[in-house]
């Protein structure tokens, strides 16, 4: 079996330190906000997997449709010998790409979760014993150093996750990706597209209430990790389409006036009745906008594919 290497670029206590910083900053600003990455503890990951199977939530199905139909074209366009996946999680969708990259030498999954990386690597190597896997425990939004692997490299950022970044964060992220790329390397980017408002809102406010539970899970994380005196039932889930920004906002709205105490941070946070705290933005894109944002990072859009209903896009960009 080929080697499995695991490299940690995050300190052991990095997650705790970042959570503390994010909560302190987010709950003392106006309006209040928390980053969506804190949804994803073990329970949050389970809930998100359930969301991807809901009838209202189309992005996962739409992206998988494109990967199944176009992976051979992606392989031909990139000729990748190394596949780097940012935010790899279970590496489930990546399997479609791995099957179509005949010259692939190394797979580099990047994630903050060591358990997710090791679990995915074990499953992949059981299926593909000749594959080299070099996993990185890293936060790709905070600077990333890739291992020395054969080129050309294909850097994949799937799932429409780029939409969770604010415009200035997206610009910084794309510049950081460009800095990792050598001549011949490429970026494979998944972007959810602008569509009917009702379709979008339903995808983030499903009838079964799974997304509501997922949204509130961030409060459970804070309660457990920071000993916060907060009850998720004191908040209700809100999903709203912002036409001007062309993004969905998920928020938590206080059902009544309350106070959240976080002893670990020596922090007392008052909420007025009806006050909303933003927990996620999910930007939706148009092809022209994606091209412009890539160009600003000195990346050139060379290929663009959508699912049959035009809901989601995968694109390939190369260094200019």
């Amino acid at each position: 079996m080929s080697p499995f290497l695991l490299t940690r670029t995050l300190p052991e206590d990095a997650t705790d330190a970042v959570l503390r910083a994010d909560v302190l900053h987010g709950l003392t600003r106006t309006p209040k906000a928390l980053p969506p990455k804190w949804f994803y503890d073990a329970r949050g990951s389970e809930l998100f997997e359930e969301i991807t199977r809901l009838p209202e939530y189309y992005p996962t199905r739409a992206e998988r449709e494109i990967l199944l139909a176009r992976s051979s074209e992606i392989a031909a366009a990139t000729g990748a010998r190394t596949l780097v996946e940012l935010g790899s999680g279970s590496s489930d969708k990546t399997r479609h790409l791995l099957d179509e990259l005949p010259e692939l030498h190394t797979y580099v999954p990047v994630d903050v979760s060591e358990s997710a990386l090791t679990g995915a690597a074990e499953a992949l190597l059981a299926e593909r014993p000749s594959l080299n896997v070099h996993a990185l425990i890293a936060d790709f939004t905070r600077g990333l150093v890739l291992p020395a692997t054969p080129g050309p490299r294909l850097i994949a950022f799937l799932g429409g996750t780029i939409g969770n970044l604010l415009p200035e964060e997206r610009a910084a992220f794309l510049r950081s990706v460009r800095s990792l790329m050598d001549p011949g390397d490429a970026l494979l980017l998944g972007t959810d597209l602008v569509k009917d408002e009702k379709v979008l809102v339903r995808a983030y406010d499903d009838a079964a209430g799974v997304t509501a539970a997922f949204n509130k899970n961030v409060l459970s994380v804070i309660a457990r990790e920071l000993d916060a005196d907060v009850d998720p039932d004191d908040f209700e889930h809100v999903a709203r389409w912002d036409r001007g920004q062309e993004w969905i906002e998920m928020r938590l709205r206080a059902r009544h006036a309350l106070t959240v105490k976080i002893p670990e941070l020596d922090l007392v946070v008052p909420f007025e009745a009806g006050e909303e705290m933003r927990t996620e933005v999910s930007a939706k894109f148009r092809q022209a906008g994606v091209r412009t944002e890539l160009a600003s990072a000195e990346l050139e859009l060379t290929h663009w594919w959508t699912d049959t209903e035009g809901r989601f896009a995968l694109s390939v960009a190369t260094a200019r």
Side-chain angles (χ1 to χ4, degrees), residues 231-307:
D231 185 349
D233 289 340
D234 285 337
F235 293 82
E236 59 182 340
H237 167 68
V238 177
R240 182 181 298 122
W241 172 242
D242 186 320
R243 292 186 182 88
Q245 299 287 354
E246 293 193 325
W247 65 39
I248 286 282
E249 281 198 10
M250 290 210 314
R251 295 170 173 245
L252 290 171
R253 178 188 294 147
R255 296 180 183 275
H256 52 83
L258 59 97
T259 300
V260 174
K261 299 177 182 178
I262 310 178
E264 291 284 325
L265 300 178
D266 193 24
L267 187 64
V268 176
V269 184
F271 283 83
E272 297 178 2
E275 182 178 352
E276 295 181 354
M277 172 173 62
R278 188 171 72 189
T279 52
E280 182 180 80
V281 300
S282 184
K284 309 306 171 186
F285 297 88
R286 303 176 190 270
Q287 183 176 1
V290 173
R291 185 185 301 277
T292 297
E293 291 195 33
L294 289 169
S296 295
E298 298 186 354
L299 292 163
E300 181 177 2
L301 179 66
T302 59
H303 296 78
W304 177 272
W305 301 278
T306 69
D307 64 296

Side-chain angles (χ1 to χ4, degrees), residues 8-273:
R8 174 183 290 276
T9 64
L10 282 177
E12 292 283 353
D13 61 349
T15 300
D16 181 61
V18 174
L19 174 62
R20 287 169 172 267
D22 284 347
V23 172
L24 182 61
H25 173 70
L27 295 188
T28 56
R29 55 166 285 183
T30 303
K32 298 179 179 71
L34 289 172
K37 61 187 172 186
W38 301 116
F39 291 141
Y40 295 95
D41 63 349
R43 177 56 179 156
S45 297
E46 290 174 358
L47 286 167
F48 185 71
E49 287 301 314
E50 190 175 343
I51 287 170
T52 65
R53 297 189 291 270
L54 293 170
E56 298 98 329
Y57 193 79
Y58 61 86
T60 303
R61 292 189 298 275
E63 185 176 53
R64 183 174 287 114
E65 177 191 320
I66 305 169
L67 283 169
L68 286 169
R70 304 294 188 176
S71 283
S72 60
E73 295 176 48
I74 295 168
T78 62
R81 298 198 65 213
T82 294
L83 173 62
V84 179
E85 184 177 9
L86 306 180
S88 53
S90 66
S91 299
D92 180 54
K93 290 177 290 188
T94 320
R95 285 170 165 79
H96 305 307
L97 272 177
L98 295 174
D99 290 338
E100 297 294 342
L101 290 167
E103 302 299 322
L104 188 68
H105 179 275
T106 304
Y107 172 52
V108 183
V110 181
D111 205 282
V112 296
S113 170
E114 181 174 354
S115 60
L117 289 168
T118 54
E122 288 171 2
L124 285 171
L125 289 172
E127 301 165 0
R128 301 167 178 81
S130 63
L131 182 65
N132 295 290
V133 178
H134 189 153
L136 295 182
I137 304 172
D139 183 347
F140 58 79
T141 66
R142 294 175 178 267
L144 183 65
V145 178
L146 296 177
T149 55
R153 292 178 298 184
L154 176 60
I155 300 174
F157 193 39
L158 303 175
T161 308
I162 194 168
N164 296 144
L165 304 177
L166 296 171
E168 60 274 17
E169 295 170 334
R170 291 201 302 268
F173 167 76
L174 290 172
R175 289 194 300 269
S176 72
V177 170
R178 173 63 182 84
S179 72
L180 298 172
M181 296 170 64
D182 294 325
D185 292 348
L187 168 65
L188 177 66
L189 185 63
T191 47
D192 197 7
L193 303 179
V194 175
K195 58 186 66 65
D196 181 79
E197 177 178 342
K198 292 179 181 178
V199 174
L200 288 165
V201 172
R202 281 197 300 267
Y204 293 84
D205 193 12
D206 60 277
V210 182
T211 310
F214 176 67
N215 193 8
K216 292 182 183 184
N217 190 61
V218 70
L219 301 176
S220 299
V221 170
I222 293 171
R224 182 184 65 247
E225 298 299 328
L226 299 179
D227 195 27
D229 178 21
V230 58
D231 185 349
D233 289 340
D234 285 337
F235 293 82
E236 59 182 340
H237 167 68
V238 177
R240 182 181 298 122
W241 172 242
D242 186 320
R243 292 186 182 88
Q245 299 287 354
E246 293 193 325
W247 65 39
I248 286 282
E249 281 198 10
M250 290 210 314
R251 295 170 173 245
L252 290 171
R253 178 188 294 147
R255 296 180 183 275
H256 52 83
L258 59 97
T259 300
V260 174
K261 299 177 182 178
I262 310 178
E264 291 284 325
L265 300 178
D266 193 24
L267 187 64
V268 176
V269 184
F271 283 83
E272 297 178 2

